[in-house]
Amino acid sequence: MARNSIFDDDLGESPAAASASASSLFADDVAGAGDSPWDLPTPKKGSRADLVKTLLPASDVPESYVDIFDALLALGEKRGAGVSLTGVKKTLGAGGLSPDDQARILEIVMPGGHESATGFGREEFNTLLALIGLAQEKEDITLDGVDERRKNLPEPSLPSLTTAKHAQTSESPPTPTLQPPATPPSKPAGGRPSPSRPRDVRKDSMDFPEVDPWGSPALHKGHNHADGNGSTPRTKSAGRSGNLPRTVSTLTSSSAAPDGNPSPMRDAGRGGWAGDDSAGNPTFSTPSGGAIGGNGFGGPSDDDGDLNNAGTPGRSIGGGRVTARGVEEVVVVTVLPEKEGMFMFQHRNYQVSSARRASKVIRRYSDFVWLLNCLQKRYPFRQLPLLPPKRVAVNGNHLSSDASFIEKRRRGLARFTNSLVRHPVLNQEQLVIMFLTVPTELSVWRKQATISVQEEFTGKALPPTLEDSLPTNLNETFDTVRSGIRRSAEIYINLCNLLERLAKRNEGVAADYLRLSLSLQSLTEVSASTYAVDTNDVPMLNSGLDATAKHLSASQSLLEDEARAWDEGVLEDLKRQRDALVSAREMFDRAERLSKDTIPALERKIESNESKLAGLRGRPRETLKPGEIEKVEDAIIHDKQSIVAQHARGVFIKECLRDELSYFQHSQYHVSRLHQDWSQERVKYAELQADNWRSLNEEVEGMPVGE
């Protein structure tokens, strides 16, 4: 009789048993595809995945569980804030378990074979270690068994990981015995030479398939993105962040820049943004002493100063490129691990860092929303970047606290911020500068600062030669470009979703390669009994099976790296281009809505008032009311001034749109670099895979063929 499991972790049921009515968020369901590794998990498997994450919290496990997890992170087996799939595989291998037991444990802790963007968390890893311990003690490998041993958890024996832990903590340079994943062997001298290419994957993605303001298809639930910069590991210490307390008293006083000198942006004595008065209360000032957002805008920018990010990699994904305008500024947005607030009112905080500005500030999502609202009022005819949504509902479930959604939102906020600092006008906006440099809570600063968000053309006189300098066919050019941008934005939205699906499928193939490798290793254990009639050729047979399993494992590592490179490289580049197109599309939409004037109506009103004024002047003076003529004259003058102002505004709008299109024109070069980088990456991984399979072909030549 089958054993009933309170956790439903019986592995005998096929994934195809899921309800046929469940629809794929990728819209790629096909007949018989229920067991595809990249299909969404069934409700049953999704429930088990949640149990794995919550079954053994960190407070309920032995200290050895914590040490092993930390040892893997120290060895570089890290994905997001957790352990990578390769690290999980190493842990299973270090336990000396049979391939069958390894495959069963892997299916329990990672149903569907999907690796999360945030990695294998500490709680999930605790469950993995408990299952390994049960297997070593020859007990049932089930979640029920783990639950029964909750008060007396087994401590697995993992000698290689323990040795690596001691090596990391010793004073001598670390020499861990745990080896990195198998890599493709070098190509034999007699074969075709393959250019040497580094296997490092681009990790500096600054910048999610947001169900987003650009109207892309449904959110890919469970499709995660992460990178080295964006995920902050959870520490054991209390509080959000050790060095960034969110208090006004410490951050509004004079603080030190990275070089140890007081920062001019934070030192009140130097006229910085924030300081303390004699009573210790935070005070704020503007560079010009006037209102922020008023005439003080457009001042000189500090972007041409010395660069402080000399250690930045040569190509940071989504930014940091060397262009004709110089090195692009890169702003890093990081999710702080701890939430802030009470109960239902908790929220996430983000650290926004700029090496060029030597600033690190903490902002919440609502701060970004406030900034965009201000910019929309002041710069409605500029390409304003897009914000990711606050939360998304998929099948009635809100994902505002889902780990993958948080990571995607972080990337969206990073793209938003980097678009601002790279825009030639917006990067000089005082609101943007202060958003990036005011070290205190933005809500406190907003209450004390005088902020004006008048439209950028307000009060500007029209230069006499500006209107004549504009091309006569400018409106036709606008219509043509707007039509092309609309179509291009739709195509790029679709491209981003297609590439996300391809990266997800790569992850699924990698997980299946791992299962294939474990299954082939299991075959070597039964080969002797299977061919017991004559075992002379069994050693050579097993040698070939081991070689195939080894190269499948190497291919699995390459596929994981490639999927990560797609996610953090070309996908982010595509999203940057998509955002630029959608920003331009929205700019034209706003211009159509906000650039309308009332000049024809005013002209008719002036004509009517002039006729009325002529009639009044023809009447006897004693029949007129006091001030009646003057009132009509004032109305005519006011209407004529309004016509002049509206005409000037229309010219300024055209000039602004022309300048924005000139700036947008440079995005075509980003497209060129995107395809160049992607093609180079495809060649690299294709050659690595080819070398791997070529080496396998040579190793299986010695397998018995009965001739």
Side-chain angles (χ1 to χ4, degrees), residues 54 84 143-144 187 191 224 236 258 291 306 328 358 381 395 398 436 447 538 552 567 575 607:
T54 58
S84 65
L143 294 179
D144 286 335
K187 180 173 173 55
N224 303 312
K236 295 181 184 178
D306 294 334
E328 291 180 333
F381 307 106
N395 297 330
H398 288 289
L436 296 172
K447 292 177 181 178
V538 168
L552 279 169
D567 178 40
K575 287 186 175 182
E607 185 179 353

Side-chain angles (χ1 to χ4, degrees), residues 570-685:
V570 65
L571 182 56
E572 286 304 314
D573 287 340
L574 282 174
K575 287 186 175 182
R576 176 180 172 182
Q577 181 64 15
R578 174 200 65 185
D579 290 359
L581 287 163
V582 178
S583 296
R585 184 184 69 186
E586 292 188 349
M587 176 187 69
F588 279 115
D589 291 344
R590 287 194 301 270
E592 182 181 29
R593 186 175 66 253
L594 301 176
S595 63
K596 296 177 180 178
D597 57 52
T598 59
I599 291 178
L602 289 174
E603 289 175 341
R604 291 193 296 270
K605 183 179 177 183
I606 290 173
E607 185 179 353
S608 173
N609 282 336
E610 286 178 342
S611 300
K612 181 178 179 181
L613 181 61
L616 290 175
R617 286 174 175 170
R619 290 169 54 186
R621 214 163 171 74
E622 59 273 7
T623 61
L624 298 176
K625 297 179 181 178
E628 187 174 4
I629 293 179
E630 290 78 4
K631 183 177 180 181
V632 175
E633 289 176 341
D634 290 343
I636 293 173
I637 294 173
H638 180 271
D639 290 342
K640 288 183 177 180
Q641 291 174 343
S642 180
I643 288 176
V644 171
Q646 291 189 42
H647 176 74
R649 180 176 181 268
V651 175
F652 282 133
I653 289 174
K654 288 183 179 180
E655 182 202 23
C656 184
L657 293 176
R658 182 190 64 176
D659 292 345
E660 288 300 302
L661 288 187
S662 177
Y663 170 69
F664 172 79
Q665 192 75 6
H666 290 276
S667 67
Q668 63 182 309
Y669 309 125
H670 172 71
V671 176
S672 301
R673 291 189 294 266
L674 178 162
H675 287 275
Q676 291 168 358
D677 293 338
W678 192 32
S679 63
Q680 293 172 8
E681 216 165 52
R682 299 290 67 73
V683 171
K684 179 182 76 172
Y685 283 105

Side-chain angles (χ1 to χ4, degrees), residues 514-536:
L514 176 59
R515 291 185 174 89
L516 275 174
S517 177
L518 294 174
S519 298
L520 288 175
Q521 292 177 34
S522 300
L523 277 178
T524 62
E525 299 177 357
V526 296
S527 293
S529 58
T530 302
Y531 303 104
V533 174
D534 183 1
T535 60
N536 289 332

Side-chain angles (χ1 to χ4, degrees), residues 431-506:
L431 279 177
V432 174
I433 294 173
M434 295 192 179
F435 180 86
L436 296 172
T437 56
V438 170
T440 189
E441 290 188 32
L442 201 64
S443 58
V444 176
W445 175 78
R446 286 162 51 187
K447 292 177 181 178
Q448 303 191 31
T450 304
I451 300 172
S452 172
V453 288
Q454 288 183 328
E455 193 175 277
E456 61 177 317
F457 312 129
T458 302
K460 291 182 63 175
L462 181 64
T465 60
L466 177 59
E467 186 172 6
D468 294 336
S469 68
L470 298 177
T472 56
N473 63 339
L474 196 55
N475 288 330
E476 290 78 5
T477 302
F478 288 161
D479 292 339
T480 302
V481 174
R482 185 181 185 186
S483 174
I485 284 176
R486 281 179 172 174
R487 180 62 182 141
S488 295
E490 294 172 359
I491 294 174
Y492 268 91
I493 289 171
N494 189 43
L495 283 174
C496 290
N497 285 280
L498 286 173
L499 200 63
E500 286 164 358
R501 290 166 57 180
L502 289 173
K504 195 67 177 177
R505 285 177 174 145
N506 258 8

Side-chain angles (χ1 to χ4, degrees), residues 35-39 85 89 106 110 112-115 500-518 549 551-564 566 689 692-693:
D35 56 352
S36 169
W38 48 79
D39 277 351
L85 178 59
K89 178 187 170 185
L106 189 66
M110 194 176 291
H114 295 309
E115 183 179 12
E500 286 164 358
R501 290 166 57 180
L502 289 173
K504 195 67 177 177
R505 285 177 174 145
N506 258 8
E507 294 175 0
V509 172
D512 277 354
Y513 272 25
L514 176 59
R515 291 185 174 89
L516 275 174
S517 177
L518 294 174
H551 287 281
L552 279 169
S553 178
S555 182
Q556 171 240 336
S557 297
L558 287 173
L559 284 170
E560 286 179 348
D561 286 350
E562 186 174 18
R564 203 151 40 236
W566 283 32
Q689 289 282 14
N692 181 48
W693 298 126

